[in-house]
Each structure stands twice: as structure tokens, then as C-alpha cells.
Amino acid sequence: MALSAMAPYVYSQLGPGEIRLLVLAPRSGWGEVICRLEHRLLSSDPDYEALSYCWGVDDKDHQVICEGKIIKITASLFSALRHLSFKRKERRLWVDGICINQDDDHEKNHQVSMMGTI
């Protein structure tokens, strides 16, 4: 299926004290970024690396494939994820631009208030 024909990813609601972790699939030969999102209780001390950034153009003209759906992202985040993906194993990341539902102001405010802990 062509990327343009894929539906947009729909975020599920976070529970109290939860964060989403991006599980980055091993690097594909096609240049795609493939992932899934997992909910984890922050209090359970999950194993992950954090990436919070703001650089480059803000246009969301790139995309990741998340659970067979599309999440629009910036070119700089796409490039970072391509470089951070391992060749043969998954990598768990917390990436604010994906792990926080950017279309939900209530969630954004709540998750941003947790960023010091994250």
C-alpha cells in the first residue's frame, strides 16, 4: 500500500501517570521509519532514551509508519530517527514530537509538565 493511501494514526488516551514510548523498528532498506507506540507508567521506571528537540523548518512534510498508520513529522525528526535506528534491533525512545499527541492541547500541557521527570 502506498504511504499516501495509509490512514493517519489515531492516539489512544493516556492513563494517569502514563507516557508513550516509541519503539523504533530496525532500519529498513527502503528509507522508511517504522515504529509502534507503547503506554508505560512513568513510575515503573521504563527503559528508554529521550529525544526532545526543536530545530529546522516546522513543516510536517515527512512521516513515520506507526502500526500501519501515518504520523506526520518534520524533516529534522525524520532524519534523527533514521540515524538513531539500529540495524538489527528495536530501540525505545521518548520523542516529544511523536509520543505526545500534538493535536490534544490538554495532553500536551499535562505531558509538558512531566518533562522534568521524563
Side-chain angles (χ1 to χ4, degrees), residues 3 8 13 23 26 28 33 43-44 46 50-51 53 57 64 76 87 93 98-100 102-103 113 116:
L3 289 179
Q13 189 83 21
V23 182
S28 79
V33 174
S43 63
S44 71
L51 172 65
Y53 74 98
V57 178
V64 297
S76 59
K87 285 185 179 182
L93 301 166
I98 295 176
C99 294
I100 298 173
Q102 300 298 312
D103 295 326
S113 73

Side-chain angles (χ1 to χ4, degrees), residues 5-98:
M6 289 183 172
Y9 182 83
V10 177
Y11 285 88
S12 57
Q13 189 83 21
L14 287 171
E18 282 188 331
I19 60 171
R20 288 185 195 90
L21 293 180
L22 181 144
V23 182
L24 189 56
R27 193 172 302 136
S28 79
W30 298 100
E32 298 171 328
V33 174
I34 301 171
C35 66
R36 71 179 187 277
L37 291 174
E38 300 177 337
H39 288 209
R40 292 289 182 256
L41 282 172
L42 192 53
S43 63
S44 71
D45 197 24
D47 187 31
Y48 65 94
E49 300 167 277
L51 172 65
S52 182
Y53 74 98
C54 184
W55 73 87
V57 178
D58 200 25
D59 296 337
K60 292 185 177 181
D61 55 0
H62 285 68
Q63 57 218 359
V64 297
I65 301 170
C66 185
E67 302 168 26
K69 310 279 189 204
I70 294 295
I71 298 176
K72 296 281 194 176
I73 61 171
T74 64
S76 59
L77 178 52
F78 182 84
S79 178
L81 293 174
R82 286 287 300 144
H83 284 91
L84 289 170
S85 62
F86 292 132
K87 285 185 179 182
R88 293 187 175 82
K89 68 178 187 173
E90 295 179 333
R91 188 171 199 170
R92 274 185 179 66
L93 301 166
W94 181 86
V95 181
D96 55 358
I98 295 176

